[in-house]
Amino acid sequence: MTAPASPSLPTSPPHSCPVTTTVAVIGGKWKAVAIYHLLGGPRRFSDLQRRMPGVTQRMLTLQLRELEADGLVHREVYPQVPPKVEYSLTPLGLTLEPIVRAMLAWGAAYRERDTQSGQSDPDA
Amino acid sequence: MTAPASPSLPTSPPHSCPVTTTVAVIGGKWKAVAIYHLLGGPRRFSDLQRRMPGVTQRMLTLQLRELEADGLVHREVYPQVPPKVEYSLTPLGLTLEPIVRAMLAWGAAYRERDTQSGQSDPDA
DNA sequence: CAGAATCCAAAACGATACTG
DNA sequence: CAGTATCGTTTTGGATTCTG
């Protein structure tokens, strides 16, 4: 969600459909993927970035912050000399697992559709 | 997907993660909701629009066309005096049901989280 | 009714440079 | 390492008008 402070117009009418609510929360371009990788356990920022080819530092930061603001992701800062930040799913964030797993399965099947060389990326 | 013809740069690297593929296909602001309503059977354009408060005619058209281009939605035009167009899910589009249902359930639960007045919209 | 077309505002996104 | 800041581009989306 991360309310845009509604400057003058409603971002969306009191969205009637729960599906819309979900889209608002995990609809970002990289949110679902980030959550997917966090399902494997806590990850450092650079770790996530490496696992998400194509995402820029800026976008990853922004999307993670929104997820944090919506209570799905926890951000743990370790005050060290080379800074270390670990992201992990909150209990609420964990409840997204069914959705993300379904998206993973569907995406894989959709590719096989005409790519006849099915392959997954079962990471740790 | 609806490839942007990649003018000079890759919209995304041969996206490694299947989740990214799914996001590319149903990641639009209104796509998931539209698909949800189409799970209830074929719907006319105006019907969909009425069920999706906040969507503009233009956006609904655009998103439906993309879904059509990606093979998820079928568009049937009835050559009548007052034009009638019915949208329905293709077999492939139907395979999205698990995802959309999961999104529906999650969105509803997410709202109850602090809205203590749970309500669904079980349409036809 | 179901759109296509045009115009324009706002949001998303990318590249780059700088910092504790 | 993990950002933040700034700038410019691209995409998205809305309002409105016109049409078969």
Side-chain angles (χ1 to χ4, degrees):
Chain A
M1 227 85 79
T2 315
S6 87
S8 57
L9 279 180
T11 299
S12 65
H15 39 223
S16 45
C17 181
V19 176
T20 305
T21 305
T22 305
V23 171
V25 175
I26 60 165
K29 190 173 182 180
W30 301 101
K31 290 183 180 179
V33 210
I35 290 165
Y36 167 61
H37 288 298
L38 289 178
L39 283 175
R43 304 268 185 243
R44 297 187 57 164
F45 184 86
S46 53
D47 194 355
L48 281 174
Q49 195 174 12
R50 216 173 322 106
R51 288 167 188 271
M52 298 165 61
V55 75
T56 60
Q57 198 175 37
R58 177 184 138 91
M59 282 320 297
L60 186 53
T61 301
L62 288 176
Q63 302 265 306
L64 284 172
R65 289 299 162 84
E66 286 191 22
L67 289 173
E68 189 191 4
D70 287 332
L72 306 174
V73 159
H74 173 69
R75 178 167 173 265
E76 184 75 33
V77 183
Y78 297 82
Q80 303 177 351
V81 179
K84 172 181 170 181
V85 179
E86 261 190 3
Y87 291 88
S88 57
L89 291 178
T90 63
L92 181 62
L94 253 173
T95 63
L96 284 167
E97 179 160 4
I99 298 182
V100 176
R101 291 238 177 268
M103 291 179 71
L104 178 74
W106 193 89
Y110 184 77
R111 287 206 222 164
E112 281 186 56
R113 191 177 107 278
D114 46 25
T115 307
Q116 226 55 305
S117 65
Q119 241 161 54
S120 311
D121 177 28
D123 64 0
Chain B
M1 226 81 82
T2 314
S6 85
S8 56
L9 279 179
T11 298
S12 65
H15 39 221
S16 44
C17 181
V19 176
T20 305
T21 305
T22 304
V23 170
V25 175
I26 60 165
K29 191 174 179 180
W30 302 100
K31 290 184 181 178
V33 211
I35 290 165
Y36 167 61
H37 288 298
L38 289 177
L39 283 175
R43 303 267 185 245
R44 298 188 55 163
F45 184 86
S46 53
D47 194 354
L48 280 175
Q49 195 175 11
R50 216 173 322 106
R51 289 166 188 272
M52 298 164 62
V55 76
T56 60
Q57 198 175 38
R58 176 184 140 91
M59 284 319 298
L60 186 53
T61 301
L62 289 177
Q63 303 265 304
L64 285 172
R65 290 299 162 85
E66 287 192 20
L67 289 173
E68 189 191 3
D70 287 333
L72 306 175
V73 158
H74 172 70
R75 179 167 172 265
E76 185 73 33
V77 182
Y78 296 82
Q80 302 178 349
V81 180
K84 171 181 170 181
V85 178
E86 262 191 2
Y87 291 89
S88 56
L89 292 178
T90 63
L92 181 61
L94 254 173
T95 63
L96 284 168
E97 179 160 4
I99 298 182
V100 176
R101 292 238 176 267
M103 290 178 72
L104 178 75
W106 192 89
Y110 184 78
R111 288 205 222 165
E112 283 187 53
R113 189 178 108 278
D114 46 24
T115 308
Q116 226 56 304
S117 64
Q119 244 163 51
S120 311
D121 179 26
D123 64 0

mmCIF file of all heavy atoms in Angstrom, chain A residues 2 7-8 19 25 53 58 65 77 84 108 115:
data_model
loop_
_atom_site.group_PDB
_atom_site.id
_atom_site.type_symbol
_atom_site.label_atom_id
_atom_site.label_comp_id
_atom_site.label_asym_id
_atom_site.label_seq_id
_atom_site.Cartn_x
_atom_site.Cartn_y
_atom_site.Cartn_z
ATOM 1 N N THR A 2 1.412 1.585 1.152
ATOM 2 C CA THR A 2 2.269 2.748 1.241
ATOM 3 C C THR A 2 1.571 3.975 0.683
ATOM 4 O O THR A 2 1.923 4.533 -0.341
ATOM 5 C CB THR A 2 3.569 2.535 0.454
ATOM 6 O OG1 THR A 2 4.069 1.248 0.748
ATOM 7 C CG2 THR A 2 4.588 3.563 0.813
ATOM 8 N N PRO A 7 -2.444 13.460 -2.651
ATOM 9 C CA PRO A 7 -2.219 14.891 -2.826
ATOM 10 C C PRO A 7 -3.515 15.612 -3.182
ATOM 11 O O PRO A 7 -3.834 16.629 -2.628
ATOM 12 C CB PRO A 7 -1.244 14.953 -4.002
ATOM 13 C CG PRO A 7 -0.762 13.548 -4.223
ATOM 14 C CD PRO A 7 -1.842 12.664 -3.707
ATOM 15 N N SER A 8 -4.249 15.062 -4.110
ATOM 16 C CA SER A 8 -5.473 15.736 -4.522
ATOM 17 C C SER A 8 -6.520 14.734 -4.992
ATOM 18 O O SER A 8 -7.698 14.921 -4.804
ATOM 19 C CB SER A 8 -5.181 16.714 -5.647
ATOM 20 O OG SER A 8 -4.566 16.034 -6.734
ATOM 21 N N VAL A 19 -8.593 -8.473 -4.326
ATOM 22 C CA VAL A 19 -7.507 -8.724 -5.273
ATOM 23 C C VAL A 19 -6.745 -7.430 -5.511
ATOM 24 O O VAL A 19 -5.520 -7.415 -5.588
ATOM 25 C CB VAL A 19 -8.048 -9.280 -6.606
ATOM 26 C CG1 VAL A 19 -6.913 -9.433 -7.602
ATOM 27 C CG2 VAL A 19 -8.745 -10.612 -6.396
ATOM 28 N N VAL A 25 -0.207 -4.135 -2.743
ATOM 29 C CA VAL A 25 0.864 -4.463 -1.806
ATOM 30 C C VAL A 25 2.049 -5.167 -2.455
ATOM 31 O O VAL A 25 3.199 -4.857 -2.166
ATOM 32 C CB VAL A 25 0.313 -5.337 -0.658
ATOM 33 C CG1 VAL A 25 1.436 -5.780 0.255
ATOM 34 C CG2 VAL A 25 -0.726 -4.556 0.126
ATOM 35 N N PRO A 53 18.712 -10.366 -11.285
ATOM 36 C CA PRO A 53 19.369 -9.703 -12.413
ATOM 37 C C PRO A 53 18.435 -8.672 -13.038
ATOM 38 O O PRO A 53 17.269 -8.963 -13.278
ATOM 39 C CB PRO A 53 19.612 -10.852 -13.409
ATOM 40 C CG PRO A 53 19.456 -12.112 -12.632
ATOM 41 C CD PRO A 53 18.496 -11.805 -11.528
ATOM 42 N N ARG A 58 18.862 1.211 -6.706
ATOM 43 C CA ARG A 58 17.806 2.142 -6.327
ATOM 44 C C ARG A 58 16.442 1.469 -6.215
ATOM 45 O O ARG A 58 15.741 1.599 -5.210
ATOM 46 C CB ARG A 58 17.729 3.256 -7.370
ATOM 47 C CG ARG A 58 16.640 4.246 -7.165
ATOM 48 C CD ARG A 58 16.627 5.228 -8.337
ATOM 49 N NE ARG A 58 15.278 5.507 -8.765
ATOM 50 C CZ ARG A 58 14.550 6.517 -8.271
ATOM 51 N NH1 ARG A 58 15.058 7.269 -7.344
ATOM 52 N NH2 ARG A 58 13.344 6.727 -8.703
ATOM 53 N N ARG A 65 11.833 -1.086 0.863
ATOM 54 C CA ARG A 65 11.331 -0.143 1.860
ATOM 55 C C ARG A 65 9.805 -0.128 1.888
ATOM 56 O O ARG A 65 9.182 0.009 2.934
ATOM 57 C CB ARG A 65 11.863 1.265 1.562
ATOM 58 C CG ARG A 65 13.335 1.409 1.852
ATOM 59 C CD ARG A 65 13.674 1.156 3.296
ATOM 60 N NE ARG A 65 15.085 0.890 3.481
ATOM 61 C CZ ARG A 65 16.014 1.823 3.617
ATOM 62 N NH1 ARG A 65 15.689 3.078 3.619
ATOM 63 N NH2 ARG A 65 17.284 1.483 3.783
ATOM 64 N N VAL A 77 19.664 -3.921 10.626
ATOM 65 C CA VAL A 77 20.939 -3.279 10.322
ATOM 66 C C VAL A 77 21.996 -3.688 11.337
ATOM 67 O O VAL A 77 21.783 -3.555 12.545
ATOM 68 C CB VAL A 77 20.799 -1.746 10.339
ATOM 69 C CG1 VAL A 77 22.115 -1.098 9.951
ATOM 70 C CG2 VAL A 77 19.682 -1.304 9.413
ATOM 71 N N LYS A 84 26.252 -3.907 7.096
ATOM 72 C CA LYS A 84 25.583 -5.145 6.726
ATOM 73 C C LYS A 84 24.108 -5.023 7.069
ATOM 74 O O LYS A 84 23.747 -4.658 8.180
ATOM 75 C CB LYS A 84 26.197 -6.326 7.491
ATOM 76 C CG LYS A 84 25.449 -7.626 7.309
ATOM 77 C CD LYS A 84 26.097 -8.744 8.121
ATOM 78 C CE LYS A 84 25.213 -9.980 8.149
ATOM 79 N NZ LYS A 84 25.823 -11.059 8.962
ATOM 80 N N ALA A 108 6.871 -20.817 -14.582
ATOM 81 C CA ALA A 108 7.681 -21.895 -15.139
ATOM 82 C C ALA A 108 6.906 -22.634 -16.229
ATOM 83 O O ALA A 108 7.431 -22.908 -17.310
ATOM 84 C CB ALA A 108 8.086 -22.867 -14.031
ATOM 85 N N THR A 115 8.800 -23.034 -24.983
ATOM 86 C CA THR A 115 10.258 -23.023 -24.822
ATOM 87 C C THR A 115 10.825 -24.427 -24.650
ATOM 88 O O THR A 115 11.978 -24.608 -24.349
ATOM 89 C CB THR A 115 10.675 -22.152 -23.625
ATOM 90 O OG1 THR A 115 10.083 -20.865 -23.770
ATOM 91 C CG2 THR A 115 12.176 -21.992 -23.554
#
